[in-house]
Structures are given as structure tokens and as C-alpha cells.
Amino acid sequence: MADEELMEEMDNEGALITLEDEEGNEVEFEFLDVVEYEGEEYIVLIENDEDADEVVILKINVIDDETEEYASIDDEALLDKLFDIFKSKYEGDIDFV
């Protein structure tokens, strides 16, 4: 299961991950969680910047036992649902404004 492997690999919350944006620039993110929804898994990240105030949610596509890729999500309704799941998991722990 990708969620368990990712958690072990990231050593729980606070781990950093570097991704490449559409223009080829490297951006460092802090790992927050993995959300499961309708049989799919999504990674929740926040840019590793003290001014960052928005999470990024990407779909996890498992390539093989050792490789995953993260894909952007264009469906706003799906993003809203995933964010609601994330918020409910951390209600009281994180202040969502």
C-alpha cells in the first residue's frame, strides 16, 4: 500500500520532498499527509516557506514497488472533497483559515 510505504519513507510529518514544477524549477515541500478517497491515494503537501498558506494535493500514481509519480488534479470538486477530508482529520490540531 503506497500510504504505508510513503509514511515510512518520509518518517512521518515534517519530512521534506522536492518536486519539479511545470517550468522545471525545483520546489521544496513539507509532507503533511496521505488522504485516501474512492480507492485512490493523494499526497497533501505545503511549500516549505514560512509564508506558505495553501496546501497542494496531488494524486499518487504507483509506477512499481519503488517508484511513484504525483499528478496534478484539475477537478475542483475533487480537490474540495480531499481538502475537507484532510481538514476533518486535523480539526483542532491545525488552524484552517
Side-chain angles (χ1 to χ4, degrees):
M1 187 173 183
D3 183 14
E4 293 170 9
E5 292 170 13
L6 185 62
M7 292 298 286
E8 289 174 22
E9 192 174 302
M10 296 268 175
D11 194 28
N12 295 320
E13 64 182 278
L16 299 179
I17 182 171
T18 302
L19 300 176
E20 196 172 287
D21 67 13
E22 297 87 22
E23 289 132 20
N25 302 312
E26 289 188 348
V27 181
E28 190 172 65
F29 292 91
E30 182 178 345
F31 169 79
L32 298 177
D33 198 7
V34 170
V35 173
E36 292 185 43
Y37 180 68
E38 293 189 348
E40 301 287 344
E41 293 182 319
Y42 302 87
I43 189 169
V44 182
L45 308 167
I46 191 164
E47 192 170 340
N48 190 27
D49 179 336
E50 64 185 43
D51 295 328
D53 61 356
E54 293 183 4
V55 298
V56 174
I57 303 174
L58 303 169
K59 184 174 185 289
I60 300 172
N61 294 320
V62 177
I63 305 301
D64 58 40
D65 289 342
E66 298 178 8
T67 309
E68 296 176 341
E69 71 177 8
Y70 307 115
S72 61
I73 303 166
D74 295 328
D75 183 342
E76 289 295 322
L78 175 59
L79 284 170
D80 289 342
K81 178 65 179 170
L82 294 169
F83 187 60
D84 287 344
I85 293 168
F86 174 73
K87 285 192 311 185
S88 69
K89 282 176 75 174
Y90 293 95
E91 190 174 346
D93 295 329
I94 299 175
D95 183 24
F96 297 99
V97 179

